Amino acid sequence: MVLGGSGRGPHQGFAVKIAYADPPYLGCCALYGHEHGKDGRCWDDIGTHNVLIRRLEWEFPEGWAMSASSPSLRHILPICPEDVRTSPWVKPFAVFKPNVNPAYAWEPVIWRGGRQPRSREEPTVRDWFSGNITLKRGLTGAKPERFCFWLFDLLGLRPDDEFVDIFHGSGAVERSMAAVCGAASVLRLFYERA
């Protein structure tokens, strides 16, 4: 798809192509019935996450974000490009698992790039988010609307950008974008099955 301008280089005034990946977390594939992608790779294998990260680097050089679990961070960060940043989603309300203390009440978002540079007139976005988990959305790990809004701000998305949601999941990203833009199509929101 041809975007406004070249979509490359300085991002002021040009559309960018950015992706978000929320795969089954390393070691959690069973939560999703071992639903594997088109290539049949298991998400409990670090190699599958490596393939995803290489794809994000190659197909989305202007920016991408990926959610992960805090226990997996020590395995995933070494296979990421050196210039990634990690931002926490802190969960004031989270599900407490029996016999797990301290609780897992935060989740890392690994991200790279996004719209740069940003003007001094734009509000400064915090590199962390605090918000409760969702309940009864039909899918473990469904992201809340406020998380999606923060993610869009973090990556500097604008209405003429192309945003690719690699793991459609519960549809939370689409609903959030519709709330921001009035219609998901305004942002050129694409879904893919990984």
Side-chain angles (χ1 to χ4, degrees):
M1 168 175 286
V2 176
L3 304 172
S6 69
R8 301 282 188 255
H11 298 145
Q12 296 293 84
F14 293 98
V16 296
K17 183 178 178 181
I18 293 177
Y20 173 58
D22 190 11
Y25 299 158
L26 184 64
C28 297
C29 197
L31 293 174
Y32 304 94
H34 282 286
E35 168 92 22
H36 302 142
K38 289 183 264 189
D39 61 4
R41 296 179 65 107
C42 179
W43 292 100
D44 286 348
D45 178 4
I46 190 66
T48 302
H49 293 269
N50 187 37
V51 169
L52 174 61
I53 292 165
R54 299 293 77 79
R55 177 182 174 201
L56 290 169
E57 279 186 284
W58 179 256
E59 291 183 31
F60 306 96
E62 294 163 326
W64 53 267
M66 181 178 108
S67 288
S69 66
S70 57
S72 71
L73 205 52
R74 69 186 189 99
H75 301 287
I76 292 180
L77 278 179
I79 60 175
C80 287
E82 289 184 11
D83 61 345
V84 298
R85 291 183 62 181
T86 304
S87 295
W89 166 23
V90 178
K91 305 171 184 179
F93 170 75
V95 174
F96 296 138
K97 296 179 173 85
N99 303 314
V100 176
N101 193 1
Y104 291 101
W106 78 282
E107 186 173 299
V109 176
I110 302 165
W111 60 280
R112 182 181 195 206
R115 182 173 299 285
Q116 299 295 333
R118 300 202 188 172
S119 73
R120 300 275 299 157
E121 290 77 40
E122 294 180 69
T124 300
V125 179
R126 287 178 169 77
D127 67 351
W128 56 270
F129 172 72
S130 177
N132 295 333
I133 63 167
T134 60
L135 296 173
K136 300 180 181 177
R137 291 281 180 96
L139 186 67
T140 300
K143 299 301 184 267
E145 186 176 69
R146 286 185 53 235
F147 169 88
C148 295
F149 295 161
W150 167 76
L151 181 67
F152 302 154
D153 287 344
L154 184 72
L155 296 170
L157 288 174
R158 293 185 183 160
D160 62 335
D161 292 338
E162 183 177 334
F163 184 75
V164 180
D165 182 14
I166 295 177
F167 294 84
H168 179 61
S170 69
V173 174
E174 178 181 16
R175 286 189 302 277
S176 299
M177 192 49 61
V180 169
C181 296
S185 61
V186 174
L187 187 73
R188 297 189 185 116
L189 187 62
F190 293 94
Y191 291 109
E192 272 185 29
R193 190 145 166 78

